């Protein structure tokens, strides 16, 4: 907080000096308002396509710009539950750039995070493991790098993971098999290597799995035996053991 260029410092400074909502220190929404401000400053909010803080910099329909005096629940792309907790963040195709802040994952109640088709860089923070209410994760079409943190697979209630079209590397974890509620998983167009985990064959609800345009090993026959999953992978991987892909 003592680095004046840090998003956290800018957010605290805004809360104390510029925020026209004038929240008291014990207000239960204070931390999530701070966290969303950190997201704004971390992703160069003044350059967003829609609803940045400055009216001269971006278009915004209605009085719902980020950092405006209205409730953060009414800010562009933010949806709260009945108790006023942030539940959904949808800022796709909005020219977000920079790295994802840890504070984003400290908010209780966040169940959907949709930030696809932006210019996000850096790795997926390990702090994502703290977002224990998360059901839907969509980071596709960004510039994310590094490995998918193992803590992601501790979020056992996840239903959808969309990480395609980034620069992610490493292997696909066998812990994918722990996500018993997983319905959709998209990992295509990255730099993944190694096998597609056979553990996904045991997922009862998995209906759609994509892993095209990586450097993965041929698909195991154990996965091919599962007929409930629509599997998409590179053609040479699909036919090496059996022709088990819906498309390639």
């Amino acid at each position: 907080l003592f680095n004046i260029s840090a998003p956290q410092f800018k957010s605290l400074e805004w809360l104390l000096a510029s925020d026209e909502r004038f929240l008291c220190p014990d207000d239960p929404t204070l931390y999530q308002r701070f966290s969303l401000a950190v997201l704004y400053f971390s992703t160069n909010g003044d350059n967003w396509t829609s609803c940045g803080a400055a009216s001269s910099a971006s278009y915004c329909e209605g009085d719902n710009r980020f950092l405006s005096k209205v409730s953060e629940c009414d800010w562009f792309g933010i949806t709260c539950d009945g108790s006023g907790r942030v539940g959904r963040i949808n800022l796709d195709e909005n020219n977000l750039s920079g790295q994802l802040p840890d504070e984003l994952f400290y908010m209780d109640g966040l169940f959907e995070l949709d930030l696809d088709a932006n210019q996000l860089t850096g790795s997926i923070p390990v702090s994502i493991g703290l977002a224990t209410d998360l059901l839907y994760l969509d980071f596709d079409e960004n510039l994310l790098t590094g490995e998918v943190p193992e803590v992601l697979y501790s979020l056992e209630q996840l239903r959808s993971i969309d990480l395609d079209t980034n620069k992610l590397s490493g292997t696909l974890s066998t812990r994918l098999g722990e996500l018993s509620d997983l319905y959709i998983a998209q990992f295509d167009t990255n730099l993944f290597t190694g096998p597609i985990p056979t553990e996904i064959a045991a997922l009862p609800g998995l209906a759609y799995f994509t892993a095209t345009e990586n450097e993965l090993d041929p698909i195991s026959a154990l996965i091919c035996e599962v007929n409930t999953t629509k599997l998409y992978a590179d053609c040479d991987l699909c036919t090496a053991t059996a022709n088990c892909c819906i498309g390639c």
Side-chain angles (χ1 to χ4, degrees):
L1 289 178
F2 296 101
N3 180 356
I4 61 174
S5 64
Q8 292 79 5
F9 182 92
K10 293 178 180 178
S11 300
L12 183 59
E13 183 181 46
W14 168 76
L15 273 175
L16 295 175
S18 303
D19 185 10
E20 296 181 58
R21 198 161 180 80
F22 305 114
L23 294 180
C24 296
D26 59 350
D27 191 294
T29 67
L30 181 63
Y31 185 77
Q32 69 179 19
R33 194 169 177 87
F34 168 76
S35 296
L36 291 174
V38 174
L39 173 63
Y40 180 84
F41 288 112
S42 295
T43 58
N44 296 295
D46 288 345
N47 294 323
W48 286 3
T49 302
S50 299
C51 295
S55 59
S56 59
S58 61
Y59 172 78
C60 193
E61 184 176 349
D63 186 23
N64 59 346
R65 291 185 179 277
F66 254 67
L67 308 190
S68 63
K69 64 182 179 180
V70 301
S71 167
E72 65 279 1
C73 293
D74 296 321
W75 288 352
F76 175 75
I78 305 301
T79 303
C80 292
D81 62 20
S83 62
R85 298 187 308 172
V86 173
R88 179 184 290 114
I89 300 176
N90 186 336
L91 293 170
D92 61 321
E93 300 183 35
N94 203 36
N95 199 37
L96 278 67
S97 61
Q99 299 187 19
L100 294 167
D102 291 329
E103 287 80 3
L104 185 60
F105 306 107
Y106 296 162
M107 294 185 291
D108 293 334
L110 182 64
F111 69 86
E112 180 176 340
L113 183 55
D114 186 354
L115 302 177
D116 71 281
N118 284 293
Q119 300 292 318
L120 296 171
T121 56
S123 59
I124 299 173
V126 174
S127 54
I128 196 172
L130 299 175
T132 55
D133 296 310
L134 199 60
L135 301 176
Y136 307 99
L137 177 65
D138 190 355
F139 287 164
D140 75 289
E141 295 187 48
N142 279 284
L143 301 170
L144 297 172
T145 57
E147 299 185 6
V148 177
E150 282 289 304
V151 293
L152 177 67
Y153 307 109
S154 65
L155 304 178
E156 297 180 1
Q157 75 286 359
L158 272 174
R159 299 176 186 172
S160 175
I161 302 174
D162 189 356
L163 300 178
D164 75 82
T165 319
N166 279 282
K167 298 181 179 180
L168 297 167
S169 57
T171 59
L172 297 179
S173 176
T174 58
R175 293 190 64 193
L176 269 168
E178 298 177 17
L179 302 179
S180 58
D181 293 331
L182 193 64
Y183 179 76
I184 295 174
Q186 296 181 228
F187 297 101
D188 37 307
T189 318
N190 279 287
L191 303 172
F192 292 119
T193 58
I196 295 176
T198 58
E199 286 77 5
I200 69 171
L203 294 176
L206 186 61
Y208 188 85
F209 185 96
T210 65
T212 61
E213 298 184 52
N214 284 285
E215 297 296 329
L216 295 165
D217 297 343
I219 297 169
S220 167
L222 292 174
I223 299 175
C224 295
E225 292 170 2
V226 179
N227 297 320
T228 58
T229 300
K230 293 182 178 178
L231 180 64
Y232 294 80
D234 293 331
C235 290
D236 57 337
L237 306 186
C238 293
T239 57
T241 304
N243 190 13
C244 64
C245 296
I246 297 297
C248 59

